[in-house]
Amino acid sequence: MRFLGINAIFHDPAAALVVDGEVVAAAEEERFSRRKHGKRPVPFSAWELPEQAAAWCLEQAGLRPEDLDGVAYSYDPELVLPGGEGQDARWEDMRTTYARRAPSFLATALPGLDAAQVRFVPHHIAHAASAGLAAPYDESAVLVCDGRGEAVSHLAGHYRDGELTVLASQALPHSLGLMYEDLTAHLGFLRSSDEYKVMALASYGEPRFLREMRELIYPTGDGGFRVEQIDWSVYAKALGKGEKWTSDHADLAASVQTRLEEVLLDLARWLHERTGARHLTMAGGVALNCVANTRLFAEGPFEDIWVQPAAGDSGTALGGALHLAQAGGDRVAPMPGADLGRGWTDEELGAWLDVAKVPYERPADLAAAVAADLAADRVVAWFQGRAEYGPRALGRRSLLANPGNPRNTERLNDVKGREQFRPIAPMVLAERASTIFGRGPMSSPYMLFVHDVRPEWRDRIPAVVHVDGTARIQTIEPGRDPLLARLLEEFEARTGVPVVVNTSLNTAGRPMVDDPRDALECFGSAPVDVLVLGPYVVRRGAVFAG
């Protein structure tokens, strides 16, 4: 059977396609529209659908809208409590009205689709399915935490043989995600977008407000929690855009980050006691907090943790489609990887370069050639295969650099035009990870955990070591990523270091590069030395000579 999933209601609109239980395609609308997060996270944008992403998913499988057996919309307006706490009193009715009319909107956006084929999947059920059904387990506990869904902000459950049992949920207005969003805005960042900046800033502070946070944010012992009204200005003044943060702001971020981790640990322990499951699967925007994920792994009761790489709202498109497939009787297969977006053949990439009229070469040994550039401290824009689904660059649309030069942290942040307190990440062969990194899981293909950098390696890879001595690693398996594995091997042969910097191929305020035109535009506008487009290499000196 063929099921399309749609996320549109809050932010990060996306589409995903599941055929006969297999994930065929998934993409976020931002990669097509070139608008960061696809649209603004405001109620009156609820009508904006991921039209381009949905059309591409169908095209990828050679399907028409009328071929679908169902379309999952990852929000159920009938679950919204009119006038309920935690809602925006000015706009909630309009958001709900848009959601109710989504079937008609989708039938218009995808000509040939029968509006009756659209089914509402509760927001947190879609999140849960994106974790529990996509993970490589027949059984797992599942924990979902985000800002909000229809009327709740959290779900704790148990997946066994594809069936979900919901064990607890937390009613609004109490929300760990909304609390973190409020702090994000107070610190001068964009809510529902820049929460990861708060996590990075926390490493520069001390949790000296932790006692107060424990009184305001606390578990209730029944699988839920409470978040009281917090006046952030008591601890640090509100920052406007571009204003400089102080130690008070870093300490507040550290205090809230620590309290978030403590509450998540309590929720995980409660869930483990009721399920006895060995594995925990996670989704929801809070699951993108890789510092908290590592603490859950290190101190929590589960043997293993699997986090959906598109854990934010974009992942509910995939979860909704998987949920309908499972309910329709398909045997759902685990997610094959995060490279579920658009890709191009070598011939198509060569044609793009010919049209752009830029000089390029095709090295006989691409991995060796690029490793030599990296060893010579050149910054490389790396464009390979199908684009990633989710916010992490995983070696498909990446900026690569030498981790041995401490200046490369500042250099790459300058290339991307972003704040200097933000860390950059390393990729490493999975078999070498434990010799360089500690604490977090050594299989970390989706860059969703932080790891301690062993003391003897901190001076050897300074560019990827955060102020707190950690790094958010991506582990590479040769069987899954043979080209990246060879690149790491070739780089080590030249430098003695089996690690390469990997950060997203984009500039500040822009989505990650997706198609070849995006890559060429980014290369032309940013101080990047080398562009690798499939098997082809473009060098800045050759392009701009004379």
Side-chain angles (χ1 to χ4, degrees), residues 367-449:
V370 176
D373 282 317
L374 292 170
D377 211 25
R378 298 185 181 102
V379 174
V380 175
W382 178 263
F383 183 109
Q384 296 291 334
R386 293 179 65 175
E388 300 93 338
Y389 180 49
R392 303 286 191 249
L394 301 170
R396 300 299 185 272
R397 307 290 187 269
S398 292
L399 280 170
L400 307 180
N402 187 333
N405 182 352
R407 290 186 55 255
N408 279 342
T409 308
E410 180 178 352
R411 186 180 176 194
L412 283 171
N413 280 331
D414 283 343
V415 167
K416 293 164 68 68
R418 65 183 199 175
E419 301 88 350
Q420 288 298 341
F421 66 80
R422 290 170 56 186
I424 54 177
M427 62 167 62
V428 59
L429 280 172
E431 64 186 29
R432 302 298 305 279
S434 62
T435 65
I436 304 167
F437 305 100
R439 194 167 183 240
M442 285 306 126
S443 177
S444 186
Y446 300 132
M447 208 182 280
L448 286 165
F449 297 86

Side-chain angles (χ1 to χ4, degrees), residues 371 375 432 486-498:
R432 302 298 305 279
R486 281 211 61 243
L487 174 63
L488 287 163
E489 290 167 353
E490 292 285 345
F491 183 74
E492 182 178 13
R494 288 161 173 78
T495 65
V497 175

Side-chain angles (χ1 to χ4, degrees), residues 222-233:
D222 58 358
F225 51 85
R226 294 290 181 272
V227 179
E228 305 297 347
Q229 288 288 331
I230 303 175
D231 182 357
W232 302 112
S233 61

Side-chain angles (χ1 to χ4, degrees), residues 174-196:
H174 303 286
S175 168
L176 296 174
L178 289 180
M179 176 274 297
Y180 213 90
E181 285 184 21
D182 288 344
L183 176 60
T184 300
H186 186 79
L187 295 176
F189 305 127
L190 181 63
R191 104 176 26 248
S192 296
S193 172
D194 292 346
E195 283 69 29
Y196 57 92

Side-chain angles (χ1 to χ4, degrees), residues 470-482:
T470 66
R472 188 185 70 208
I473 76 171
Q474 178 194 3
T475 55
I476 301 298
E477 297 280 357
R480 178 78 174 88
D481 292 297

